Structure formats: C-alpha cells, structure tokens
Amino acid sequence: TMQHALSRRSAWFLFGLAFLVVYREVFETILFFAALWTQGHADAIFAGSASAVVLLALIAWVMLRYSRRLPFGTFFAYSSVLIGILAVVLAGKGISGLQEAGLLGITPLPGLPRIPILGVAPALEPVVAQILTLALIALGYWRNKRKGMQVRTLHAETG
C-alpha cells in the first residue's frame, strides 16, 4: 500500500540519499558556474537559468495536471531502482575521486576496464565500495520484502 511505501524509515532514507545526491550535484554546478562567471560568461549563465526555470515550470505543470493518473506503486518501484543504481555509481566515483586527490591508496586491477558512466575504475577500492553498496541495497530490499510478507500474513490472519 501507499502507506507502507512511504513508511517513516524508508522516507527518511530516501530523503537522506536524495539530499546527498543533490548536494553533490549542486556543489559541482556552483564550481562550474563560478569558473564560467570569472571567464566573463555571465550571459550564458543567465540564459541557462532562464531556460531551466521555463523547463521546470513546464514539468511541474505536466506533473500537477496528470498526477491523478500516476501509478504511485510503479513510480516508487522504478525510482527506487534508479536511486539504487545511482548509489552504486556514486560509490565508485566517490572513491575514485578520493584516490585522484591522493587521499586514498590505489590497488590497481589491470584486467578491469574503466567505465566512467557506471563509476567503474580499474582499482580494488572503488570496486569494493560498489560491491558493498550493492550488498547493502540488496539487504534492504530483502528486509523490506520480508517485512511486507509478514504484514500481509498478519493482515490475512486477523482479517
């Protein structure tokens, strides 16, 4: 049910993960805009900002207009899968970034290709971080599925 999908614990987890992802992107965007601004490209910044406001207004209008027909269960299922994928990618990219900054050691994995879009780097540390992230996601999925089955069994016994 919708109430179970938006339980307090999963909502806080989703909020925290979304906050970290958005915070990272905003930080990178500010650095990018600062570099553009200092190079005298203020007009490009204003044009991009105006375009973004128009596009966001259009998306908001479409979502508000058609949200009554939006299948929330399907929406949350797909969005949770996408957030899980993003968490795995960001784990690899984050560890690689720390390695590039010289804050973490590098244990090369020569046979592994670099796949930037997936956050895969030919080093042991980012791969281990991605595997651990994937394991945590799988554990959370398994626990939620098990808890959902227990709730359905309890409702069937009492109802």
Side-chain angles (χ1 to χ4, degrees), residues 24-37:
R24 178 182 177 270
E25 291 301 321
V26 167
F27 185 73
E28 287 180 5
T29 303
I30 289 171
L31 289 176
F32 178 71
F33 283 162
L36 280 177
W37 191 273

Side-chain angles (χ1 to χ4, degrees), residues 39 140 146:
Q39 294 174 358
R146 198 181 85 194

Side-chain angles (χ1 to χ4, degrees), residues 63-134:
M63 287 185 72
L64 289 172
R65 175 127 171 107
Y66 297 105
S67 65
R68 288 190 182 120
R69 292 184 236 151
L70 186 64
F72 284 109
T74 304
F75 173 78
F76 282 116
Y78 285 127
S79 65
S80 64
V81 168
L82 288 174
I83 289 173
I85 292 168
L86 186 60
V88 172
V89 170
L90 289 177
K93 286 186 174 192
I95 298 297
S96 293
L98 291 172
Q99 289 176 323
E100 289 173 11
L103 298 173
L104 282 180
I106 300 174
T107 307
L109 294 175
L112 190 67
R114 179 177 297 276
I115 309 171
I117 196 165
L118 298 177
V120 175
L124 180 63
E125 295 80 5
V127 170
V128 167
Q130 287 182 309
I131 290 170
L132 288 174
T133 304
L134 193 58

